[in-house]
Amino acid sequence: MKRVLGLIVLILLFCSVGIPHASAASRTFKLDKNTVASLKAGKIPGFDIQLGMKKSQVVKLLGSPKRSYNWTGGQFWIFNKLPYAGLCFNVPGSPAGQLYGVSIGREGFPNKTFAKVKAQLGKPSYIGEDDAEGGYVMMYEYGEVTIYFTADTLSGTITGIDVINKSLIE
């Protein structure tokens, strides 16, 4: 009986940890034929948000932020409806209150590799070691929007995506 109960507890624990929130599950970074056009327009494909949006507009979509953190000079906000992404509304030199950048964790782009991204987006502007964070980075530039994909190894799964709009820095 103890063995069966222990197995049931392990299964429940595994299921509760492995399943993202229902509202978050529908929001993953979309890599398809429309990705480049979306990024050029400042849209984050699959997330219903756009660089340059006011914080109040994002709050209407995602609810109130649950916490914030500082990284690379900016303050990033985490929202309950998007728990694996940080949204930055202010960095030094940017207009206050506009969405300047988005940092998406691996949950927002699961099981993808640099090879998969290159197959869809083509040759990157840069690919190499990430001196600041460690691991590797692959970068694409689309007008004022720059997107960075990071991974621990060149063939490993992507661990994060950062999208910024350079035009929002004065």
Side-chain angles (χ1 to χ4, degrees), residues 21-92:
H21 302 297
S23 61
S26 63
R27 290 193 172 113
T28 58
F29 186 88
K30 293 209 184 319
L31 185 64
D32 59 24
K33 62 183 171 112
N34 300 315
T35 300
V36 172
S38 292
L39 289 169
K40 285 181 179 180
K43 296 176 184 175
I44 310 301
F47 285 85
D48 301 327
I49 56 175
Q50 183 169 342
L51 297 172
M53 290 178 85
K54 300 275 187 208
K55 187 174 181 183
S56 60
Q57 293 172 300
V58 174
V59 167
K60 284 181 184 177
L61 291 171
L62 301 177
S64 297
K66 65 179 184 176
R67 66 180 175 90
S68 70
Y69 64 92
N70 291 309
W71 182 59
T72 65
Q75 185 176 19
F76 287 76
W77 294 91
I78 304 290
F79 292 82
N80 283 329
K81 292 184 181 176
L82 199 56
Y84 47 79
L87 282 63
C88 182
F89 294 92
N90 56 330
V91 293

Side-chain angles (χ1 to χ4, degrees), residues 112-123:
K112 303 291 190 297
T113 62
F114 285 167
K116 175 83 172 176
V117 172
K118 283 197 291 188
Q120 188 67 45
L121 301 182
K123 183 179 177 184

Side-chain angles (χ1 to χ4, degrees), residues 24 27-29 47 69 71 76 78 82-87 102-112 148-150 157-163:
R27 290 193 172 113
T28 58
F29 186 88
F47 285 85
Y69 64 92
W71 182 59
F76 287 76
I78 304 290
L82 199 56
Y84 47 79
L87 282 63
V102 178
S103 183
I104 303 166
R106 71 177 74 225
E107 299 88 348
F109 196 58
N111 305 315
K112 303 291 190 297
Y148 303 88
F149 296 90
T150 56
T157 57
I158 290 175
T159 56
I161 302 172
D162 295 307
V163 185

Side-chain angles (χ1 to χ4, degrees), residues 40 141-146 166:
K40 285 181 179 180
E141 296 175 284
Y142 301 110
E144 295 298 325
V145 176
T146 303
K166 297 177 284 192

